[in-house]
Amino acid sequence: MAGELERRRPAKGDLDAEGARLGASFGLGGPPQGAYRARRRSAQWGRGTSVLATGGVLAFVIPEWQHRWASGWEAGAGLIAVAGVLMMALAPRSKWDRLYWYPGGVAQRLTAEPEPKILRWADAAAVRIAYYTDDESLTLDKCIVDGPGKAYIEADRRYKAGLQAFAREAEQVIEYRLLPGLADACQRGQPVVFGELTVRVSGLGWQPRMGRRAGWWLRWPEVRVVKAHGPGRGLYVHPKPRGRGKHWVGLEMVPNGMLAHRLIEHVAAPYRVPVTLTRE
């Protein structure tokens, strides 16, 4: 069945059947709560799209340069575009990666690996989030769940709606497992670090690891509001009084960065510091 799923687009029934088998084989707890597929196109297909785009650009640019270039270049642009189409048409068929998650963990079938990747939620040590920015929008780019050693499960935009659902599930699991311990450590006077951000029971601060920018530190009574984005993308810290500007703290790919605003919400509650989250 694995080979069949690699050669053609897996139907929903195929996904559910494979997900049920993996869950039973590795004791992940019942049928999958999420089952998604991601197309992996061949490298030749990607090169073909690049060649086609090059031909298209030349086809538009050359007419503007006719006084500089010979007309034979127009035919050359057409040949380049045709070559790109042929490369795409003759490229090997797409293969499909599959991702499943269960009450007990995550399973992933990658076409490049003979055995499934299994990570139990009990072994999950961290979740990392990255975002993709273009000229018009900001979207979730990838979600990585780190396990013991070098073990990890990664989902990217190829999973489409599955990426958002997987990131939400991973966020809920890691929050349930780790947030109480982080809050307890903070209350006992220990600093909790998220990349360049440090949260303490007395306040929060930012210290860059590289560069010449100076860091800052604010006690909770000096903080007017904290506005988180993502979750896991970053947060704005607005100091008192109003009009003093704001500090941006990036949290992309920071282990468990999506928990920062929840920890701040808990620790800063006695000082009535508002903490908001804008999901992106």
Side-chain angles (χ1 to χ4, degrees), residues 6 14 22 24-25 27 55 63 110 130 132-133 136 148 152 156 180 183 186 195 216 225 249-251 253 263 273:
E6 290 177 7
D14 294 331
L22 288 173
S25 298
L110 300 176
Y132 172 80
T133 305
E136 298 181 354
Y152 69 93
D156 57 25
C186 211
W216 50 264
V225 63
V249 180
L251 295 170
M253 295 302 289
L263 180 62
V273 176

Side-chain angles (χ1 to χ4, degrees), residues 39-271:
R39 172 178 287 178
R40 184 181 295 277
R41 297 186 184 274
S42 69
Q44 179 177 324
W45 193 92
R47 289 191 293 268
T49 58
S50 298
V51 172
L52 177 61
T54 300
V57 170
L58 291 176
F60 282 102
V61 170
I62 286 174
E64 301 296 326
W65 292 356
Q66 282 185 349
H67 62 288
R68 299 182 182 180
W69 301 94
S71 58
W73 279 90
E74 295 182 5
L79 290 175
I80 291 174
V82 170
V85 172
L86 289 175
M87 290 176 67
M88 295 170 62
L90 299 177
R93 295 184 64 181
S94 300
K95 297 182 179 180
W96 297 86
D97 295 338
R98 288 90 70 194
L99 177 69
Y100 311 94
W101 60 89
Y102 312 78
V106 189
Q108 188 176 39
R109 291 301 305 263
L110 300 176
T111 58
E113 298 185 14
E115 298 296 328
K117 298 178 68 174
I118 305 296
L119 180 58
R120 302 182 188 281
W121 289 127
D123 297 328
V127 176
R128 293 176 288 148
I129 298 291
Y131 289 82
Y132 172 80
T133 305
D134 58 23
D135 294 335
E136 298 181 354
S137 63
L138 175 75
T139 58
L140 189 62
D141 185 51
K142 68 176 67 174
C143 174
I144 302 174
V145 180
D146 294 316
K150 296 182 178 180
Y152 69 93
I153 299 287
E154 178 177 346
D156 57 25
R157 284 181 292 157
R158 295 180 302 113
Y159 286 97
K160 298 182 180 180
L163 172 59
Q164 194 75 244
F166 177 62
R168 185 71 63 89
E169 180 72 13
E171 175 194 353
Q172 293 175 352
V173 169
I174 211 71
E175 179 180 324
Y176 175 80
R177 291 193 61 245
L178 299 185
L179 185 59
L182 295 177
D184 180 67
C186 211
Q187 293 292 350
R188 287 187 283 107
Q190 299 179 14
V192 177
V193 178
F194 300 96
E196 298 175 335
L197 174 70
T198 299
V199 180
R200 292 179 178 269
V201 70
S202 57
L204 79 170
W206 176 79
Q207 184 62 49
R209 295 177 179 175
M210 300 178 63
R212 299 181 179 180
R213 295 182 61 189
W216 50 264
W217 173 261
L218 294 171
R219 295 179 299 108
W220 291 123
E222 299 176 309
V223 179
R224 183 167 60 86
V225 63
V226 176
K227 297 182 179 181
H229 293 260
R233 177 172 171 247
L235 49 85
Y236 284 106
V237 179
H238 297 250
K240 296 179 180 178
R242 186 183 297 272
R244 282 185 58 191
K246 56 188 177 183
H247 302 296
W248 169 254
V249 180
L251 295 170
E252 286 193 54
M253 295 302 289
V254 171
N256 300 325
M258 78 289 297
L259 297 182
H261 76 281
R262 294 302 312 276
L263 180 62
I264 292 171
E265 188 176 48
H266 177 83
V267 176
Y271 302 92

